[in-house]
Amino acid sequence: MVKTKTNKGNAPCNQVILDHFWNISDPSDEKRCRSTQVILQTLASQINNPNNASNDVGYCIDRLTRGLLSSRDFARHGFCVLLTSILEQFPEQSNIAEVFEQAQKEYGLKVAENTAETTISWTLFLGCILKSGRVTLDIGGDLITQISDYLFRLGSKKNYVEIVVCNLLPLYLNIFAEKPKVFKKTVLPMWEAHEDKKSLFYAYFIMLARKHLSLRECFTKFFNSNVYQLGSNDYGQVLSLLKETTAYHPNIHPINELLVTTLFEIEPENVANLCSAIVEDVFKVNWAKSSLGFEMTHIMLKLATPEQVSFWLFNHTC
């Protein structure tokens, strides 16, 4: 990371930047956005000035990384936006490996053993670097492996950030879009070595990898063993996974739609049986399960063709 020089008196960086740092944790969306723009513009002016031998990108990244630990007001909201923007807009002034090392110093190395505060910080930080577009295969296999391991441990061990990590996985898998063989060779064995293969998170990951990287072989093996045996019409494990998602209520786990979409694609001839099994089972138990039933009905109606809906409703009501 770029080491910054003092720009004004004894201040650690440009005074305009220091003044606006206070506003990026303000409850007002307008103030946070305005101060974020001012800081980015100030950094760009420093970098584009041929007479300026220093800039404050390094200072900002260090402070923002550390600030993701803060629970003050809207600090995490503003800090995430600004950190993502700086990494995206100033790649030559920031080294992603050094930024990652800074995060390890602030949050600790063992993500599965972290406190709630550092777990949240790690989750937000990984979101920043993935959304910035800076995580590519060019950063090296060791760092890719570390990021992969941290994502898995956060998603599978910390259920209060699981849905957030699930929503980051498409960005993560896109890293391997042009070279899926790299993922299959270097990352997949590490994920397969983890023990909890019956978890919602693992099932979601495998189905998402099938969708983004066309990993049919490993998907079919996992799916038949842990989710649904193709051609069996036995939806017991599917229903079990769906009912587990009520633990996240009122949040909706993304596996709900992906699981139904996957089953629609691989067994279109059994759509009516699947829909009937879901509706008959998830409405039975309690209010949370009933809420899941309405959510699943919405998903199924959105995905089904008119002919499938007619066939399903006819068999279900007659």
Side-chain angles (χ1 to χ4, degrees), residues 22 89 93 102 150-151 168 174 180 186 248 266-267 287 295 304 307:
W22 289 102
Q89 295 184 29
Q93 287 72 38
Q102 180 65 24
Y150 281 25
L151 282 170
L168 293 176
N174 282 342
T186 62
Y248 302 87
I266 62 179
E267 274 197 357
W287 181 82
E295 169 63 24
E307 292 78 13

Short mmCIF file of all heavy atoms in Angstrom, two decimals, residues 22 89 93 102 150-151 168 174 180 186 248 266-267 287 295 304 307:
data_model
loop_
_atom_site.label_atom_id
_atom_site.label_comp_id
_atom_site.label_asym_id
_atom_site.label_seq_id
_atom_site.Cartn_x
_atom_site.Cartn_y
_atom_site.Cartn_z
N TRP A 22 -15.68 12.30 9.04
CA TRP A 22 -16.72 12.30 10.06
C TRP A 22 -18.11 12.12 9.45
O TRP A 22 -19.00 11.51 10.03
CB TRP A 22 -16.67 13.61 10.87
CG TRP A 22 -15.47 13.68 11.76
CD1 TRP A 22 -14.33 14.38 11.54
CD2 TRP A 22 -15.29 12.99 12.99
NE1 TRP A 22 -13.43 14.19 12.56
CE2 TRP A 22 -14.00 13.34 13.47
CE3 TRP A 22 -16.08 12.13 13.75
CZ2 TRP A 22 -13.48 12.84 14.67
CZ3 TRP A 22 -15.57 11.64 14.95
CH2 TRP A 22 -14.29 12.00 15.40
N GLN A 89 -11.37 2.58 -7.98
CA GLN A 89 -10.93 3.73 -8.77
C GLN A 89 -9.43 3.96 -8.77
O GLN A 89 -8.91 4.62 -9.67
CB GLN A 89 -11.65 4.99 -8.27
CG GLN A 89 -13.15 4.96 -8.49
CD GLN A 89 -13.84 6.25 -8.08
OE1 GLN A 89 -13.24 7.33 -8.13
NE2 GLN A 89 -15.09 6.16 -7.66
N GLN A 93 -2.64 2.67 -6.95
CA GLN A 93 -2.21 3.21 -5.68
C GLN A 93 -2.52 2.26 -4.52
O GLN A 93 -2.31 2.61 -3.35
CB GLN A 93 -2.89 4.56 -5.40
CG GLN A 93 -2.37 5.71 -6.24
CD GLN A 93 -2.78 5.63 -7.70
OE1 GLN A 93 -3.91 5.24 -8.00
NE2 GLN A 93 -1.90 6.02 -8.60
N GLN A 102 -3.59 -6.11 5.86
CA GLN A 102 -4.04 -5.12 6.84
C GLN A 102 -5.31 -5.59 7.53
O GLN A 102 -5.47 -5.43 8.75
CB GLN A 102 -4.27 -3.77 6.15
CG GLN A 102 -4.75 -2.66 7.07
CD GLN A 102 -3.71 -2.26 8.11
OE1 GLN A 102 -2.52 -2.48 7.91
NE2 GLN A 102 -4.16 -1.71 9.23
N TYR A 150 -11.90 -18.20 3.69
CA TYR A 150 -12.60 -17.28 4.60
C TYR A 150 -14.08 -17.21 4.26
O TYR A 150 -14.93 -17.20 5.16
CB TYR A 150 -11.98 -15.88 4.50
CG TYR A 150 -10.69 -15.71 5.27
CD1 TYR A 150 -9.87 -16.80 5.57
CD2 TYR A 150 -10.26 -14.47 5.69
CE1 TYR A 150 -8.69 -16.66 6.26
CE2 TYR A 150 -9.07 -14.30 6.40
CZ TYR A 150 -8.29 -15.40 6.68
OH TYR A 150 -7.12 -15.25 7.37
N LEU A 151 -14.41 -17.18 2.97
CA LEU A 151 -15.81 -17.15 2.57
C LEU A 151 -16.54 -18.39 3.06
O LEU A 151 -17.66 -18.31 3.59
CB LEU A 151 -15.94 -17.04 1.05
CG LEU A 151 -15.70 -15.68 0.42
CD1 LEU A 151 -15.63 -15.80 -1.09
CD2 LEU A 151 -16.80 -14.69 0.81
N LEU A 168 -22.62 -12.87 -1.87
CA LEU A 168 -21.30 -12.53 -2.42
C LEU A 168 -20.77 -13.64 -3.33
O LEU A 168 -19.88 -13.39 -4.16
CB LEU A 168 -20.29 -12.30 -1.29
CG LEU A 168 -20.51 -11.08 -0.40
CD1 LEU A 168 -19.47 -11.06 0.72
CD2 LEU A 168 -20.42 -9.79 -1.20
N ASN A 174 -17.62 -15.63 -10.35
CA ASN A 174 -17.32 -14.96 -11.62
C ASN A 174 -15.82 -14.79 -11.86
O ASN A 174 -15.39 -14.61 -13.00
CB ASN A 174 -18.00 -13.59 -11.66
CG ASN A 174 -19.48 -13.69 -11.98
OD1 ASN A 174 -19.94 -14.72 -12.50
ND2 ASN A 174 -20.24 -12.66 -11.67
N PRO A 180 -12.83 -22.07 -15.60
CA PRO A 180 -13.44 -22.93 -14.59
C PRO A 180 -12.55 -24.09 -14.15
O PRO A 180 -12.70 -24.61 -13.05
CB PRO A 180 -14.72 -23.43 -15.27
CG PRO A 180 -14.49 -23.22 -16.73
CD PRO A 180 -13.60 -22.04 -16.85
N THR A 186 -8.04 -26.06 -8.07
CA THR A 186 -7.42 -25.45 -6.89
C THR A 186 -8.38 -25.16 -5.74
O THR A 186 -8.00 -25.23 -4.58
CB THR A 186 -6.72 -24.13 -7.27
OG1 THR A 186 -7.71 -23.20 -7.78
CG2 THR A 186 -5.66 -24.35 -8.33
N TYR A 248 -34.03 -18.15 9.44
CA TYR A 248 -33.53 -16.83 9.04
C TYR A 248 -34.67 -15.83 8.88
O TYR A 248 -34.43 -14.68 8.53
CB TYR A 248 -32.76 -16.93 7.73
CG TYR A 248 -31.59 -17.89 7.80
CD1 TYR A 248 -31.78 -19.25 7.55
CD2 TYR A 248 -30.33 -17.45 8.14
CE1 TYR A 248 -30.72 -20.14 7.64
CE2 TYR A 248 -29.26 -18.34 8.23
CZ TYR A 248 -29.46 -19.68 7.97
OH TYR A 248 -28.43 -20.56 8.08
N ILE A 266 -33.53 -29.59 -14.14
CA ILE A 266 -33.00 -30.94 -14.33
C ILE A 266 -34.10 -32.01 -14.41
O ILE A 266 -33.87 -33.09 -14.94
CB ILE A 266 -31.99 -31.32 -13.22
CG1 ILE A 266 -32.65 -31.32 -11.85
CG2 ILE A 266 -30.79 -30.38 -13.25
CD1 ILE A 266 -31.71 -31.70 -10.72
N GLU A 267 -35.31 -31.68 -13.89
CA GLU A 267 -36.42 -32.62 -13.99
C GLU A 267 -37.73 -31.89 -14.32
O GLU A 267 -38.66 -31.84 -13.50
CB GLU A 267 -36.59 -33.40 -12.68
CG GLU A 267 -35.72 -34.62 -12.60
CD GLU A 267 -36.19 -35.60 -11.51
OE1 GLU A 267 -37.14 -35.29 -10.78
OE2 GLU A 267 -35.57 -36.66 -11.41
N TRP A 287 -46.70 -20.59 11.83
CA TRP A 287 -46.76 -19.36 11.04
C TRP A 287 -45.52 -19.16 10.19
O TRP A 287 -45.61 -18.76 9.03
CB TRP A 287 -46.95 -18.16 11.97
CG TRP A 287 -47.05 -16.87 11.21
CD1 TRP A 287 -48.14 -16.34 10.59
CD2 TRP A 287 -45.99 -15.95 10.96
NE1 TRP A 287 -47.85 -15.16 9.98
CE2 TRP A 287 -46.53 -14.89 10.19
CE3 TRP A 287 -44.65 -15.91 11.31
CZ2 TRP A 287 -45.76 -13.81 9.77
CZ3 TRP A 287 -43.87 -14.84 10.89
CH2 TRP A 287 -44.44 -13.80 10.13
N GLU A 295 -43.96 -17.85 0.20
CA GLU A 295 -42.76 -17.48 -0.55
C GLU A 295 -42.47 -18.50 -1.64
O GLU A 295 -42.19 -18.15 -2.79
CB GLU A 295 -41.57 -17.37 0.40
CG GLU A 295 -40.21 -17.25 -0.27
CD GLU A 295 -40.08 -15.97 -1.10
OE1 GLU A 295 -40.79 -14.99 -0.83
OE2 GLU A 295 -39.26 -15.96 -2.03
N ALA A 304 -42.72 -21.42 -13.29
CA ALA A 304 -43.47 -22.41 -14.07
C ALA A 304 -44.07 -21.81 -15.33
O ALA A 304 -44.37 -20.62 -15.40
CB ALA A 304 -44.57 -23.01 -13.20
N GLU A 307 -48.66 -23.96 -18.76
CA GLU A 307 -49.09 -25.36 -18.83
C GLU A 307 -48.78 -26.10 -17.54
O GLU A 307 -49.59 -26.89 -17.04
CB GLU A 307 -48.41 -26.07 -20.01
CG GLU A 307 -48.85 -25.58 -21.38
CD GLU A 307 -48.20 -24.25 -21.77
OE1 GLU A 307 -47.23 -23.83 -21.09
OE2 GLU A 307 -48.69 -23.62 -22.73
#
